[in-house]
């Protein structure tokens, strides 16, 4: 607790005490925050420290301190990000590592994501595409931003052939060919 309390005090001072330039204050703040999050072993204590620091930055400026709003808003943003990661991934704060990686194109993955959403097989299709893309991205260690997702969908919509779902069509074709080969092997064994 003492270490976290000390770090929380240092984080607060980085934002409130005009000892350093704004860039230096922000650099020191992010360095301390990263160190705290990477070395903390107790997720509950880490949550309390981050949340306490956030509240202090929002409401605990000493009277007469005139800090640019930008600096404390950026600090709050960093704290919110760490709190969100903590909520999502617990004490690990990193997506679970996997040996699976997406080796297709982003447009191909987006095509699958939109199709799965349209068919309603994930949460009955009541998903925000950005959230669904973020979920699939996290499974493969990718960061899929909302804009990238929508741009990829526009690329799919602009296709000129009768079927604009190239990747889904290719998947269907390949799976059918595999089943035909398996059927042929079974037939030859008899």
């Amino acid at each position: 607790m003492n270490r976290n309390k000390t770090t929380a005090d240092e984080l607060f001072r980085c934002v409130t005490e005009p000892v350093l330039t704004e860039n230096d204050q922000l650099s020191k703040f992010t360095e301390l925050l990263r160190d705290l999050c990477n070395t903390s072993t107790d997720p509950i204590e880490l949550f309390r420290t981050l949340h306490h620091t956030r509240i202090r930055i929002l409401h605990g400026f000493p009277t007469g301190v005139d800090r640019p709003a930008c600096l404390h808003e950026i600090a709050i943003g960093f704290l919110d990000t760490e709190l969100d990661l903590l909520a999502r991934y617990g004490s690990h704060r990193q997506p679970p590592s996997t040996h699976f990686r997406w080796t297709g194109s982003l447009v191909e993955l987006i095509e699958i994501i939109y199709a799965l959403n349209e068919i309603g097989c994930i949460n009955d299709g009541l998903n925000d595409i950005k959230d669904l893309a973020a979920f699939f991205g996290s499974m493969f260690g990718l960061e899929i931003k909302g804009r990238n997702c929508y741009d990829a969908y526009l690329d799919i919509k602009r296709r000129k052939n009768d079927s604009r779902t190239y990747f889904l069509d290719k998947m269907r074709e390949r799976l059918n060919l595999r089943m035909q080969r398996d059927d042929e092997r079974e037939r030859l064994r008899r």
Side-chain angles (χ1 to χ4, degrees):
M1 170 63 180
N2 287 342
R3 181 188 162 278
N4 284 0
K5 169 95 170 79
T6 302
T7 304
D9 291 341
E10 289 179 54
L11 287 167
F12 180 69
R13 278 194 299 274
C14 285
V15 178
T16 59
E17 292 182 1
V19 176
L20 305 168
T21 66
E22 213 173 295
N23 283 341
D24 290 341
Q25 284 177 286
L26 192 54
S27 292
K28 185 162 176 57
F29 179 87
T30 56
E31 182 183 321
L32 285 168
L33 183 61
R34 190 175 312 120
D35 181 56
L36 172 67
C37 292
N38 288 339
T39 59
S40 183
T41 56
D42 181 354
I44 294 171
E45 190 60 39
L46 178 60
F47 173 83
R48 288 177 178 152
T49 302
L50 294 173
H51 200 61
H52 174 77
T53 304
R54 185 183 191 286
I55 291 168
R56 282 186 69 194
I57 290 172
L58 275 175
H59 304 289
F61 277 84
T63 307
V65 172
D66 186 25
R67 301 302 308 146
C70 174
L71 182 61
H72 86 271
E73 287 173 4
I74 292 170
I76 294 297
F78 280 119
L79 289 165
D80 287 347
T81 298
E82 292 300 329
L83 285 164
D84 182 52
L85 287 171
L86 186 59
R88 289 178 190 222
Y89 304 115
S91 61
H92 300 98
R93 286 173 307 288
Q94 296 290 330
S97 62
T98 177
H99 62 278
F100 294 107
R101 63 187 179 89
W102 181 257
T103 56
S105 72
L106 177 63
V107 173
E108 292 169 337
L109 182 57
I110 299 300
E111 192 173 318
I112 291 172
I113 291 168
Y114 270 89
L116 289 170
N117 198 53
E118 282 305 306
I119 203 164
C121 59
I122 300 173
N123 296 335
D124 298 319
L126 303 173
N127 305 294
D128 183 310
I129 289 292
K130 290 185 290 189
D131 293 338
L132 202 52
F135 169 74
F136 276 89
S138 71
M139 285 185 2
F140 296 116
L142 301 171
E143 182 181 355
I144 304 174
K145 297 184 178 175
R147 184 68 199 174
N148 299 74
C149 188
Y150 185 68
D151 288 346
Y153 177 68
L154 287 177
D155 288 345
I156 294 167
K157 282 180 52 176
R158 287 187 194 112
R159 294 172 178 168
K160 300 294 182 195
N161 290 354
D162 289 337
S163 174
R164 296 185 280 185
T165 55
Y166 299 165
F167 191 64
L168 294 173
D169 295 344
K170 186 165 116 181
M171 287 173 57
R172 181 185 50 78
E173 180 183 315
R174 295 274 177 92
L175 183 55
N176 279 318
L177 284 172
R178 178 185 177 142
M179 289 187 282
Q180 288 171 3
R181 285 191 312 266
D182 288 346
D183 290 346
E184 183 62 24
R185 283 186 199 119
E186 287 176 21
R187 190 188 63 75
L188 289 174
R189 277 189 236 151
R190 293 181 192 163

